[in-house]
Every structure is written in structure tokens, then in C-alpha cells.
Amino acid sequence: MPSDAPAPVPLSHRVPDLGALELLLAVARHGSLGRAARDVGISQPAASSRIRSMERQLGVALLDRSPRGSRLTDAGALVTDWARRIVEAAEAFDVGAQALRDRRDSRLRVAASMTIAEYLLPGWLIALRTGRPDTAVSLLAGNSTAVAQRLRAGEADLGFVEGLSVPEGLDGTVIAHDRLVVVVAPSHAWAARRSPLTPQELAGTPLILRERGSGTRQVLDAALAVHGGLAQPLLELSSTTAVKGAAESGAGPCVLSELALGEELSSRRLVKIPVAGVRLRRQLRAVWPSGHRPTGPARDLLSLTAGGG
């Protein structure tokens, strides 16, 4: 519904800027252009030039200059009174804006996919705490689809996802690369293989998988789509830890991020199985709502990631 209020009138070009008004107030306080210049941190010639420019802008003389100092004219005294109110309002505005920044910077809501939340974020958050010890961080871990939903709903300030592309409605940047690997328990028949798996073998074998919506599942689905697609899963589990546990028990093969398997591979609780002819690399991304580049602690956290600077 149209408003009956009159349209705002733009400020005249004759309105001086805040710096000039602050200089005029300093002259009024000190009675000297030289001392006023020192007060605001500029040279006396620069101060004199600024006052003359303001006089031309306003169309009135503001100062009577003499060897004994600078005295406000009647018009200058009136302009000074107006200037004091404008500068006080600007200072109140600045204090209020700083309070808003402080409130924003007092918390950081991060949403991250499971792999990034478990294996990359802890180090970044420790580094962030060094620079921002007073910022309270909350972490919401879930699959990549859930992370995107939280960002679009305004429930997180910064997100981290795995997968093939930036989710709809978000902007992002690549922060790292990762590789999916096939692993089995040492007792599994594949552990004794001498030749790599073919894509068709992998696609045709029931696997222990992460749920649909996870970045791991998205990449695997896409990689094997041209090879007949994934067989009916042996198990679908909602956490990396659960998938690893099922594979370690000998239930069957699984496909997980290499980031999540360091301890299991080094202790040989799980064995990596090479796969030929299929690309299982993926990009890890920081994401945020489209058009809203991270600020404050979210910006600082982004700068701590490998690709976020």
C-alpha cells in the first residue's frame, strides 16, 4: 500500500562533511586555527583550506582571523551550534553501530558436513579462538543437504559442505580437496586382491553407505552412474563412525573420505582397495547465503581455511 509520507529530500551539496564540522568545533574550543588543526591531526594550512572551502560551500564567513587567533563570526557561532548537534548524533550513531558489531561478533553459528566437522573444523576453531577468544561458537553437524537448508533458513552464519557443486541459493569457495576410498575389513575377500576393482564391480556390489543427501553419497552416485549405478545398499547409515564400525565388523565394503580413515588404515583395522577407471575425488567448500559474503568472525574463520583467503 503506498505511503502518504512525502518523499525524502536529498541533502544539499552545501551540507559540509563531518570532518569539516569537527574542525569548526575544534576552532570554537581553542580559539586558534593552529591548535584546532593539531587537535584533529592535520596541518594548519590544510585546516585553513578546509575552513575556507566550508565558507564557500555555505556562502557565509565563519571565522574572523587576526594575529591574536580566530574568532567565530555570528554566522559561525550559529553554524557551530548546528554542527555540535550533527557531530553528537554521528557519535551516537557510531556507538550504536559498534554495539551491533559487538553483538554480531559475540557468536558464530557454523553448520558443517560430518567429515569436515569431525576432521577439519576442530583445528580451524582452535585457531579462531586465538584471535577471537570472546566469540561463542556453536557447531551444527549434518549432511551437506542439511547444511544448505540451515544456511538458507538463516540458522547458520557459515557452512561447510562436500559434494559436486555449490547448493542452490548459496555462494561458496573451494577450501580443500578430498578423495573417497573403498575400504574393507582385513578378513574380507577383497583384502587379498592383487588387481584393482573395476567400476562395474564396485557399482554391482552392495555397500555400506552414508545416507542420501550426504556429500559422500552424492559423489559416489555421480561417479558410478555411467557404470550402471549403485547396487541396493547393504546398509545406509547416518554417520561416518557408524559406517566405519560396520565395515570393521566385516559386514561389507564401504566408501568414505580418506580424511576419516587415517587411524583405521594405519592400524590395519581397515584395508584400502584400489579402484581403476573411476574418479572419486571431490571438492570441499565453504558456503554462505547468496549475496552475503561472510563478515566478522565468519570471515575470520573462512580466512583460516586453506582456500578461503
Side-chain angles (χ1 to χ4, degrees):
M1 181 176 178
S3 170
D4 293 331
V9 178
L11 284 175
S12 164
H13 69 280
R14 292 186 180 278
V15 176
D17 61 42
L18 283 173
L21 297 179
E22 287 179 314
L23 174 61
L24 182 62
L25 292 175
V27 174
R29 284 196 303 274
H30 296 291
S32 163
L33 194 58
R35 288 198 294 273
R38 288 193 295 274
D39 191 4
V40 300
I42 60 176
S43 67
Q44 182 167 340
S48 180
S49 175
R50 182 170 287 188
I51 291 292
R52 291 187 185 282
S53 176
M54 185 163 44
E55 289 175 324
R56 288 193 299 271
Q57 187 178 11
L58 293 171
V60 297
L62 300 173
L63 298 181
D64 282 332
R65 300 163 178 84
S66 72
R68 295 187 300 276
S70 298
R71 184 179 63 83
L72 293 173
T73 64
D74 290 344
L78 186 58
V79 170
T80 299
D81 186 48
W82 296 337
R84 184 173 293 106
R85 283 179 275 171
I86 293 171
V87 171
E88 287 173 353
E91 289 171 347
F93 180 93
D94 187 38
V95 169
Q98 182 60 53
L100 288 176
R101 289 191 295 270
D102 289 344
R103 187 171 68 181
R104 176 204 66 191
D105 294 353
S106 68
R107 67 169 189 171
L108 172 62
R109 301 168 302 167
V110 180
S113 65
M114 303 295 271
T115 299
I116 297 174
E118 289 185 50
Y119 301 101
L120 293 176
L121 255 179
W124 299 336
L125 293 179
I126 289 171
L128 179 69
R129 187 165 183 78
T130 300
R132 287 187 174 270
D134 297 328
T135 296
V137 179
S138 61
L139 173 59
L140 304 166
N143 63 38
S144 293
T145 298
V147 169
Q149 290 170 345
R150 288 186 182 279
L151 285 165
R152 288 192 291 261
E155 297 171 359
D157 305 305
L158 184 64
F160 296 93
V161 298
E162 314 146 21
L164 300 171
S165 60
V166 177
E168 184 180 354
L170 305 180
D171 292 334
T173 185
V174 175
I175 57 168
H177 292 83
D178 184 26
R179 183 172 62 173
L180 300 182
V181 294
V182 179
V183 291
V184 297
S187 59
H188 192 277
W190 284 0
R193 286 181 66 109
R194 294 183 177 273
S195 59
L197 289 171
T198 66
Q200 292 77 15
E201 284 179 297
L202 183 60
T205 300
L207 302 171
I208 304 166
L209 296 174
R210 283 288 308 277
E211 78 286 4
R212 292 188 181 278
S214 71
T216 299
R217 183 68 173 270
Q218 291 172 15
V219 172
L220 190 58
D221 278 336
L224 295 179
V226 296
H227 301 289
L230 283 167
Q232 182 69 25
L234 182 66
L235 291 170
E236 281 187 306
L237 302 171
S238 61
S239 78
T240 299
T241 301
V243 172
K244 287 193 293 186
E248 284 184 45
S249 74
C254 72
V255 182
L256 287 173
S257 163
E258 197 167 37
L259 290 171
L261 292 165
E263 183 181 343
E264 289 79 12
L265 292 175
S266 63
S267 64
R268 288 196 58 81
R269 299 203 305 273
L270 290 171
V271 179
K272 182 162 61 176
I273 308 301
V275 183
V278 64
R279 181 177 175 82
L280 293 176
R281 288 182 62 82
R282 63 180 177 174
Q283 296 174 324
L284 308 181
R285 291 181 174 85
V287 289
W288 54 88
S290 293
H292 298 277
R293 182 80 182 181
T295 59
R299 177 197 58 218
D300 291 352
L301 178 57
L302 179 60
S303 72
L304 292 169
T305 67

